[in-house]
Amino acid sequence: TALASYLNSNFEEAESQVIQAKSFINDSGLVYQFYPLYVLILNESKKYQEAKEALLAYAKHMVKDSIEKRRIMHEIESQYHYKKIPLLKSPEKAKNLSMFLPGTGQLYAGYFWEGALSVSLQLVGLGFTGLCILNKYYFTGIALGTSIFQKFHVGGMNRSEFLVNKRNHIETRSFNDKIKSYLLENK
């Protein structure tokens, strides 16, 4: 059930199933067979410290040779070094940055040119408003210019939130795939 939940991307349910198995199965050798799956589940849930501890416990229990055990423990520590764990950015912060200072949310997400384009398009809307007012097209300028500005402003806020989520997904996927490959290579 835990494996099916993991494959279905229902990581809370998968973790719950593994915890239940750990609680109800008395044979520790059988329980440790769940640990590679448990590590993958914890990684997907972004519980990296718990995943590291579970993987270390698995290695301590499964590897009998002390030299090999130390080597594997060192590799695990290296894989979960704090510099390798993805630093996730806040989608809410990106949205708020773009709300108050257009383009900064995209810059925060690491997309400079999208931020510059967002600011440019919003300035075009404001410039159109000013130009129309200057030429005494008050209603058209205010209605059309501010609606152009508002559409690009809200769009920029939503886009910055999307870009942070995209960046977080790519970084998390990269880290989790490395751990998954490590587990498959070092059964």
Side-chain angles (χ1 to χ4, degrees), residues 69-87:
K69 187 182 289 189
R70 271 184 282 173
R71 185 188 67 77
I72 290 174
M73 304 283 267
H74 180 70
E75 283 181 17
I76 293 169
E77 291 287 345
S78 173
Q79 292 286 335
Y80 281 95
H81 190 268
Y82 75 93
K83 289 184 179 179
K84 290 185 179 180
I85 293 176
L87 295 173

PDB file of all heavy atoms in Angstrom, residues 69-87:
ATOM      1  N   LYS A  69      30.630  -0.110   5.874  1.00  0.00           N
ATOM      2  CA  LYS A  69      29.603   0.669   6.567  1.00  0.00           C
ATOM      3  C   LYS A  69      30.041   2.127   6.705  1.00  0.00           C
ATOM      4  O   LYS A  69      29.270   3.041   6.439  1.00  0.00           O
ATOM      5  CB  LYS A  69      29.321   0.069   7.947  1.00  0.00           C
ATOM      6  CG  LYS A  69      28.153   0.708   8.670  1.00  0.00           C
ATOM      7  CD  LYS A  69      27.946   0.121  10.047  1.00  0.00           C
ATOM      8  CE  LYS A  69      27.406  -1.277   9.933  1.00  0.00           C
ATOM      9  NZ  LYS A  69      26.976  -1.823  11.232  1.00  0.00           N
ATOM     10  N   ARG A  70      31.298   2.361   7.101  1.00  0.00           N
ATOM     11  CA  ARG A  70      31.808   3.724   7.232  1.00  0.00           C
ATOM     12  C   ARG A  70      31.814   4.455   5.896  1.00  0.00           C
ATOM     13  O   ARG A  70      31.480   5.637   5.819  1.00  0.00           O
ATOM     14  CB  ARG A  70      33.211   3.728   7.834  1.00  0.00           C
ATOM     15  CG  ARG A  70      33.184   3.791   9.358  1.00  0.00           C
ATOM     16  CD  ARG A  70      34.547   3.892   9.892  1.00  0.00           C
ATOM     17  NE  ARG A  70      35.056   2.507   9.800  1.00  0.00           N
ATOM     18  CZ  ARG A  70      36.269   2.119  10.032  1.00  0.00           C
ATOM     19  NH1 ARG A  70      37.179   2.999  10.351  1.00  0.00           N
ATOM     20  NH2 ARG A  70      36.637   0.867   9.927  1.00  0.00           N
ATOM     21  N   ARG A  71      32.205   3.741   4.841  1.00  0.00           N
ATOM     22  CA  ARG A  71      32.215   4.343   3.505  1.00  0.00           C
ATOM     23  C   ARG A  71      30.804   4.750   3.088  1.00  0.00           C
ATOM     24  O   ARG A  71      30.585   5.871   2.612  1.00  0.00           O
ATOM     25  CB  ARG A  71      32.793   3.361   2.485  1.00  0.00           C
ATOM     26  CG  ARG A  71      32.943   3.961   1.084  1.00  0.00           C
ATOM     27  CD  ARG A  71      33.325   2.928   0.045  1.00  0.00           C
ATOM     28  NE  ARG A  71      32.286   1.953  -0.205  1.00  0.00           N
ATOM     29  CZ  ARG A  71      31.187   2.173  -0.931  1.00  0.00           C
ATOM     30  NH1 ARG A  71      30.963   3.359  -1.461  1.00  0.00           N
ATOM     31  NH2 ARG A  71      30.294   1.231  -1.122  1.00  0.00           N
ATOM     32  N   ILE A  72      29.870   3.879   3.302  1.00  0.00           N
ATOM     33  CA  ILE A  72      28.475   4.172   2.927  1.00  0.00           C
ATOM     34  C   ILE A  72      27.915   5.307   3.776  1.00  0.00           C
ATOM     35  O   ILE A  72      27.232   6.200   3.258  1.00  0.00           O
ATOM     36  CB  ILE A  72      27.608   2.896   3.041  1.00  0.00           C
ATOM     37  CG1 ILE A  72      28.009   1.915   1.936  1.00  0.00           C
ATOM     38  CG2 ILE A  72      26.125   3.228   2.975  1.00  0.00           C
ATOM     39  CD1 ILE A  72      27.350   0.566   2.013  1.00  0.00           C
ATOM     40  N   MET A  73      28.223   5.301   5.072  1.00  0.00           N
ATOM     41  CA  MET A  73      27.743   6.371   5.954  1.00  0.00           C
ATOM     42  C   MET A  73      28.309   7.728   5.490  1.00  0.00           C
ATOM     43  O   MET A  73      27.598   8.727   5.494  1.00  0.00           O
ATOM     44  CB  MET A  73      28.145   6.114   7.404  1.00  0.00           C
ATOM     45  CG  MET A  73      27.678   4.791   7.949  1.00  0.00           C
ATOM     46  SD  MET A  73      25.977   4.789   8.368  1.00  0.00           S
ATOM     47  CE  MET A  73      26.085   5.224  10.056  1.00  0.00           C
ATOM     48  N   HIS A  74      29.578   7.711   5.084  1.00  0.00           N
ATOM     49  CA  HIS A  74      30.197   8.942   4.577  1.00  0.00           C
ATOM     50  C   HIS A  74      29.508   9.403   3.290  1.00  0.00           C
ATOM     51  O   HIS A  74      29.268  10.597   3.091  1.00  0.00           O
ATOM     52  CB  HIS A  74      31.698   8.722   4.347  1.00  0.00           C
ATOM     53  CG  HIS A  74      32.395   9.928   3.821  1.00  0.00           C
ATOM     54  ND1 HIS A  74      32.612  11.056   4.580  1.00  0.00           N
ATOM     55  CD2 HIS A  74      32.889  10.200   2.586  1.00  0.00           C
ATOM     56  CE1 HIS A  74      33.215  11.966   3.854  1.00  0.00           C
ATOM     57  NE2 HIS A  74      33.408  11.469   2.633  1.00  0.00           N
ATOM     58  N   GLU A  75      29.193   8.466   2.407  1.00  0.00           N
ATOM     59  CA  GLU A  75      28.491   8.808   1.163  1.00  0.00           C
ATOM     60  C   GLU A  75      27.118   9.399   1.452  1.00  0.00           C
ATOM     61  O   GLU A  75      26.711  10.370   0.809  1.00  0.00           O
ATOM     62  CB  GLU A  75      28.332   7.572   0.272  1.00  0.00           C
ATOM     63  CG  GLU A  75      29.580   7.180  -0.469  1.00  0.00           C
ATOM     64  CD  GLU A  75      29.360   5.968  -1.361  1.00  0.00           C
ATOM     65  OE1 GLU A  75      28.185   5.627  -1.647  1.00  0.00           O
ATOM     66  OE2 GLU A  75      30.353   5.366  -1.760  1.00  0.00           O
ATOM     67  N   ILE A  76      26.423   8.833   2.411  1.00  0.00           N
ATOM     68  CA  ILE A  76      25.094   9.342   2.772  1.00  0.00           C
ATOM     69  C   ILE A  76      25.209  10.751   3.331  1.00  0.00           C
ATOM     70  O   ILE A  76      24.448  11.645   2.956  1.00  0.00           O
ATOM     71  CB  ILE A  76      24.398   8.390   3.770  1.00  0.00           C
ATOM     72  CG1 ILE A  76      24.081   7.065   3.089  1.00  0.00           C
ATOM     73  CG2 ILE A  76      23.135   9.039   4.343  1.00  0.00           C
ATOM     74  CD1 ILE A  76      23.630   5.972   4.030  1.00  0.00           C
ATOM     75  N   GLU A  77      26.185  10.954   4.223  1.00  0.00           N
ATOM     76  CA  GLU A  77      26.408  12.294   4.775  1.00  0.00           C
ATOM     77  C   GLU A  77      26.731  13.280   3.648  1.00  0.00           C
ATOM     78  O   GLU A  77      26.264  14.416   3.660  1.00  0.00           O
ATOM     79  CB  GLU A  77      27.555  12.278   5.792  1.00  0.00           C
ATOM     80  CG  GLU A  77      27.254  11.551   7.082  1.00  0.00           C
ATOM     81  CD  GLU A  77      26.298  12.301   7.992  1.00  0.00           C
ATOM     82  OE1 GLU A  77      26.072  13.508   7.788  1.00  0.00           O
ATOM     83  OE2 GLU A  77      25.762  11.655   8.907  1.00  0.00           O
ATOM     84  N   SER A  78      27.497  12.827   2.678  1.00  0.00           N
ATOM     85  CA  SER A  78      27.854  13.679   1.547  1.00  0.00           C
ATOM     86  C   SER A  78      26.630  14.003   0.687  1.00  0.00           C
ATOM     87  O   SER A  78      26.454  15.145   0.259  1.00  0.00           O
ATOM     88  CB  SER A  78      28.920  12.989   0.701  1.00  0.00           C
ATOM     89  OG  SER A  78      29.171  13.718  -0.467  1.00  0.00           O
ATOM     90  N   GLN A  79      25.787  13.001   0.439  1.00  0.00           N
ATOM     91  CA  GLN A  79      24.584  13.214  -0.368  1.00  0.00           C
ATOM     92  C   GLN A  79      23.634  14.215   0.283  1.00  0.00           C
ATOM     93  O   GLN A  79      22.986  14.999  -0.398  1.00  0.00           O
ATOM     94  CB  GLN A  79      23.833  11.891  -0.582  1.00  0.00           C
ATOM     95  CG  GLN A  79      24.544  10.897  -1.449  1.00  0.00           C
ATOM     96  CD  GLN A  79      24.501  11.276  -2.909  1.00  0.00           C
ATOM     97  OE1 GLN A  79      23.614  11.992  -3.359  1.00  0.00           O
ATOM     98  NE2 GLN A  79      25.463  10.797  -3.667  1.00  0.00           N
ATOM     99  N   TYR A  80      23.563  14.175   1.617  1.00  0.00           N
ATOM    100  CA  TYR A  80      22.636  15.046   2.347  1.00  0.00           C
ATOM    101  C   TYR A  80      23.350  16.235   2.982  1.00  0.00           C
ATOM    102  O   TYR A  80      22.842  16.818   3.935  1.00  0.00           O
ATOM    103  CB  TYR A  80      21.892  14.251   3.426  1.00  0.00           C
ATOM    104  CG  TYR A  80      20.770  13.431   2.859  1.00  0.00           C
ATOM    105  CD1 TYR A  80      20.963  12.094   2.517  1.00  0.00           C
ATOM    106  CD2 TYR A  80      19.515  13.990   2.658  1.00  0.00           C
ATOM    107  CE1 TYR A  80      19.930  11.341   2.001  1.00  0.00           C
ATOM    108  CE2 TYR A  80      18.478  13.243   2.133  1.00  0.00           C
ATOM    109  CZ  TYR A  80      18.687  11.919   1.814  1.00  0.00           C
ATOM    110  OH  TYR A  80      17.663  11.186   1.299  1.00  0.00           O
ATOM    111  N   HIS A  81      24.493  16.609   2.448  1.00  0.00           N
ATOM    112  CA  HIS A  81      25.199  17.778   2.953  1.00  0.00           C
ATOM    113  C   HIS A  81      24.293  19.000   2.767  1.00  0.00           C
ATOM    114  O   HIS A  81      23.589  19.107   1.768  1.00  0.00           O
ATOM    115  CB  HIS A  81      26.526  17.966   2.200  1.00  0.00           C
ATOM    116  CG  HIS A  81      27.422  18.983   2.809  1.00  0.00           C
ATOM    117  ND1 HIS A  81      27.399  20.303   2.418  1.00  0.00           N
ATOM    118  CD2 HIS A  81      28.345  18.885   3.798  1.00  0.00           C
ATOM    119  CE1 HIS A  81      28.277  20.977   3.126  1.00  0.00           C
ATOM    120  NE2 HIS A  81      28.867  20.144   3.980  1.00  0.00           N
ATOM    121  N   TYR A  82      24.319  19.909   3.720  1.00  0.00           N
ATOM    122  CA  TYR A  82      23.388  21.042   3.688  1.00  0.00           C
ATOM    123  C   TYR A  82      23.511  21.880   2.423  1.00  0.00           C
ATOM    124  O   TYR A  82      22.549  22.527   1.999  1.00  0.00           O
ATOM    125  CB  TYR A  82      23.533  21.907   4.945  1.00  0.00           C
ATOM    126  CG  TYR A  82      24.765  22.784   4.974  1.00  0.00           C
ATOM    127  CD1 TYR A  82      24.719  24.100   4.518  1.00  0.00           C
ATOM    128  CD2 TYR A  82      25.979  22.293   5.459  1.00  0.00           C
ATOM    129  CE1 TYR A  82      25.841  24.896   4.541  1.00  0.00           C
ATOM    130  CE2 TYR A  82      27.107  23.089   5.486  1.00  0.00           C
ATOM    131  CZ  TYR A  82      27.031  24.397   5.022  1.00  0.00           C
ATOM    132  OH  TYR A  82      28.144  25.184   5.042  1.00  0.00           O
ATOM    133  N   LYS A  83      24.672  21.875   1.795  1.00  0.00           N
ATOM    134  CA  LYS A  83      24.836  22.654   0.564  1.00  0.00           C
ATOM    135  C   LYS A  83      24.174  21.975  -0.638  1.00  0.00           C
ATOM    136  O   LYS A  83      23.925  22.615  -1.652  1.00  0.00           O
ATOM    137  CB  LYS A  83      26.312  22.893   0.270  1.00  0.00           C
ATOM    138  CG  LYS A  83      26.952  23.877   1.227  1.00  0.00           C
ATOM    139  CD  LYS A  83      28.384  24.163   0.851  1.00  0.00           C
ATOM    140  CE  LYS A  83      28.995  25.181   1.805  1.00  0.00           C
ATOM    141  NZ  LYS A  83      30.388  25.457   1.491  1.00  0.00           N
ATOM    142  N   LYS A  84      23.910  20.674  -0.533  1.00  0.00           N
ATOM    143  CA  LYS A  84      23.296  19.949  -1.643  1.00  0.00           C
ATOM    144  C   LYS A  84      21.775  19.906  -1.544  1.00  0.00           C
ATOM    145  O   LYS A  84      21.106  19.655  -2.529  1.00  0.00           O
ATOM    146  CB  LYS A  84      23.848  18.522  -1.701  1.00  0.00           C
ATOM    147  CG  LYS A  84      25.290  18.469  -2.139  1.00  0.00           C
ATOM    148  CD  LYS A  84      25.745  17.043  -2.303  1.00  0.00           C
ATOM    149  CE  LYS A  84      27.182  16.974  -2.775  1.00  0.00           C
ATOM    150  NZ  LYS A  84      27.634  15.590  -2.934  1.00  0.00           N
ATOM    151  N   ILE A  85      21.250  20.116  -0.348  1.00  0.00           N
ATOM    152  CA  ILE A  85      19.798  20.102  -0.163  1.00  0.00           C
ATOM    153  C   ILE A  85      19.219  21.363  -0.798  1.00  0.00           C
ATOM    154  O   ILE A  85      19.727  22.463  -0.582  1.00  0.00           O
ATOM    155  CB  ILE A  85      19.443  20.004   1.336  1.00  0.00           C
ATOM    156  CG1 ILE A  85      19.884  18.638   1.868  1.00  0.00           C
ATOM    157  CG2 ILE A  85      17.963  20.221   1.570  1.00  0.00           C
ATOM    158  CD1 ILE A  85      19.678  18.441   3.337  1.00  0.00           C
ATOM    159  N   PRO A  86      18.170  21.209  -1.598  1.00  0.00           N
ATOM    160  CA  PRO A  86      17.627  22.374  -2.311  1.00  0.00           C
ATOM    161  C   PRO A  86      17.094  23.447  -1.354  1.00  0.00           C
ATOM    162  O   PRO A  86      16.400  23.146  -0.394  1.00  0.00           O
ATOM    163  CB  PRO A  86      16.490  21.798  -3.153  1.00  0.00           C
ATOM    164  CG  PRO A  86      16.349  20.384  -2.805  1.00  0.00           C
ATOM    165  CD  PRO A  86      17.453  19.991  -1.902  1.00  0.00           C
ATOM    166  N   LEU A  87      17.456  24.686  -1.644  1.00  0.00           N
ATOM    167  CA  LEU A  87      16.919  25.827  -0.910  1.00  0.00           C
ATOM    168  C   LEU A  87      15.701  26.322  -1.680  1.00  0.00           C
ATOM    169  O   LEU A  87      15.835  26.862  -2.784  1.00  0.00           O
ATOM    170  CB  LEU A  87      17.957  26.938  -0.796  1.00  0.00           C
ATOM    171  CG  LEU A  87      19.195  26.617   0.021  1.00  0.00           C
ATOM    172  CD1 LEU A  87      20.220  27.729  -0.091  1.00  0.00           C
ATOM    173  CD2 LEU A  87      18.817  26.380   1.474  1.00  0.00           C
TER     174      LEU A  87
END
